[in-house]
Amino acid sequence: MHEVALAEGVLRIVMDAARASAAAHVHTVWVELGALAHVEPDALAFCFDAVTRGSVAEGARLDIARTAGAAWCLPCSVEVPLARLGDACPHCGSHQLQVLKGDEMRVKEIGIA
Amino acid sequence: MCTTCGCSDGETRIDGVTLTGGAHAHEHPTAHGATSTQWRTRAGGADHAPIPSHVHQHADGTWHSHVHGGGSTHEALAGAPALGAAHEDGTPAERIVRIEQDILARNDTFAELNRQAFADRGNFALNLVSSPGSGKTTLLVRTIEALHGRMPVFVIEGDQQTSLDADRIRATGAAAVQVNTGKGCHLDAHMVGRALAQLDPADGGLVMIENVGNLVCPAAFDLGEAHKVVILSVTEGADKPQKYPDMFHAADLMLVNKVDLLPYVEFDVDAAVACARRIRPGLEVLCVSATTGEGFAAWLAWLERGVASARGARDRDLAALRRRVAELEAKLGSAADAA
């Protein structure tokens, strides 16, 4: 379950930012996960609770926003929505799709006190 | 687990040696430059659940935002002529720090270091990924034996436990370093960087990284390799690319292994290739048998092209550096003459 490593990545970023801001406590962490990102959001949330124990972010709420996937259809030369890898172009049915967005995993902001 | 950063490097062992030993012996790359700390209010922000708060400027020019308690009113504060540093209404200060950083930024920083190390040495580096039991190690052993005398091969072996695979590789005469990930389900770029320092591959050599047998987790982690090579054996299902799309999407080459068993199993190679190319258009595919050597000529030719390309890129970089040094020496010479 690589979500443990991802949760540790989130914690590392959060702790660096919290330290730089002299935060006593982190109450919320906003992350953005693309629809095509290689992560299971529920598993990430579960791991986040585990890895933050004993840290400045213990008990923090992990707010996960999902962003839509999109791809470039080569036959149509147009951007199309892509919900899952392996889906076809909704216009022409081709799989000649290059992912444009939706694979991002980012920490956006933290709420501190 | 590292108590400074929360990472679990403490379970990682390279050739049986625990790397951290309880001390914080791994560096933290300062990717913090990407962290822009800004103060902003949550009020009006539509992208997240709104938190009642406001932002205002203090007399010294600094901005500050905080949550309103039940009794606090924005109007009252906004109407105040000059705000002091203290909030007399006693509401707890809340701030939002904007970060905008990739969760995998740390791994990617180490991956770039590895990529640069490979480029500096003209190494062609591959990350071999597959389910457990697809025949990665057998494939590696036969590949090393076939390449004997043609190019030096260096191997980083990733497994949760044991040095069995590295022992098999070393028996061929090739240098190998075993990384044991402990409870970890994948290799990351930091582990590979440390193994690479120990492996010390020769210039122009082929570096094969055999990832932990796992068709899910290793897909997310760039190790600094030139290509991920996914191995699918004919004893598995031909629909695996559809079931595990992330890995096949991340790969540049698929090896269909154990093709000597095709007469005995129900595996439609064309269907498997079509399935994989729906996930990853343009995916290169080679059919091989690590047991009989079938298809190896094409596989070895693919490797030799990659090695030649990596060496060529390194030679071009060196030639450009030499030209630059010559230019600078000429400039220095004329400056000295003028003086």
Side-chain angles (χ1 to χ4, degrees), chain A residues 19-38:
Chain A
R19 199 177 298 119
S21 305
H25 181 62
V26 177
H27 58 77
T28 311
V29 177
W30 284 274
V31 301
E32 186 178 273
L33 304 178
L36 310 175
H38 187 49

Side-chain angles (χ1 to χ4, degrees), chain A residues 1-17 19-24 27-28 30-33 36-39 44 51 53 61 63 65 85-87 95-99 104-113, chain B residues 1 3-9 26 28-29 32 35 37 39-40 42 47-49 51 67 92-106 185-186 214-221 242 245-247 249 277-279 281-282:
Chain A
M1 189 158 85
H2 68 290
E3 278 81 3
V4 176
L6 297 180
E8 287 169 345
V10 172
L11 177 61
R12 190 174 297 115
I13 292 167
V14 166
M15 287 180 73
D16 284 343
R19 199 177 298 119
S21 305
H27 58 77
T28 311
W30 284 274
V31 301
E32 186 178 273
L33 304 178
L36 310 175
H38 187 49
V39 60
L44 180 67
V51 303
R53 271 178 215 146
R61 186 170 67 88
D63 184 295
L85 291 174
D87 280 2
H95 288 90
Q96 298 290 309
L97 302 176
Q98 289 176 334
V99 172
E104 55 279 332
M105 293 189 270
R106 296 178 71 74
V107 179
K108 303 288 285 181
E109 298 173 325
I110 57 173
I112 58 177
Chain B
M1 192 169 87
T3 51
T4 301
C5 67
C7 73
S8 55
D9 285 343
H26 57 277
H28 290 262
H32 312 162
T35 306
T37 304
W39 308 112
R40 52 172 277 198
R42 297 304 310 169
D47 51 342
H48 299 301
I51 293 175
V67 176
E94 176 186 300
R95 296 169 296 170
I96 304 296
V97 180
R98 185 162 194 158
I99 296 176
E100 294 290 350
Q101 197 172 325
D102 283 352
I103 292 174
L104 286 169
R106 177 177 182 268
C185 49
H186 59 272
N214 177 339
L215 210 46
V216 180
C217 306
F221 295 84
Q242 209 172 336
D246 290 309
M247 189 65 86
H249 186 257
R277 285 187 176 149
R278 280 199 293 275
I279 306 297

Side-chain angles (χ1 to χ4, degrees), chain B residues 243-297:
Chain B
K243 292 177 177 170
Y244 301 92
D246 290 309
M247 189 65 86
F248 290 85
H249 186 257
D252 295 319
L253 172 68
M254 177 167 81
L255 293 178
V256 179
N257 193 23
K258 307 189 189 179
V259 292
D260 55 304
L261 297 180
L262 276 173
Y264 313 105
V265 295
E266 283 187 27
F267 184 92
D268 185 335
V269 174
D270 291 340
V273 171
C275 182
R277 285 187 176 149
R278 280 199 293 275
I279 306 297
R280 165 70 169 85
L283 180 69
E284 284 191 82
V285 179
L286 295 171
C287 294
V288 297
S289 165
T291 306
T292 65
E294 184 180 341
F296 258 55

Side-chain angles (χ1 to χ4, degrees), chain B residues 110-199:
Chain B
F110 283 117
E112 280 314 307
L113 291 174
N114 295 347
R115 189 163 279 117
Q116 190 58 51
F118 292 134
D120 290 346
R121 297 163 185 251
N123 290 144
F124 184 51
L126 298 176
N127 179 1
L128 305 183
V129 290
S130 78
S131 315
S134 70
K136 287 190 299 300
T137 312
T138 305
L139 181 89
L140 266 177
V141 167
R142 185 154 193 136
T143 301
I144 293 164
E145 287 169 351
L147 289 172
H148 187 70
R150 290 158 79 173
M151 69 179 73
V153 184
F154 301 85
V155 178
I156 295 172
E157 278 290 341
D159 281 303
Q160 283 197 317
Q161 292 185 32
T162 80
S163 64
L164 295 172
D165 280 0
D167 294 344
R168 282 178 69 188
I169 300 298
R170 289 184 191 119
T172 68
V177 169
Q178 179 78 52
V179 179
N180 287 136
T181 58
K183 300 299 176 198
C185 49
H186 59 272
L187 292 177
D188 66 34
H190 192 206
M191 297 174 192
V192 168
R194 289 178 296 181
L196 199 56
Q198 193 164 323
L199 188 63

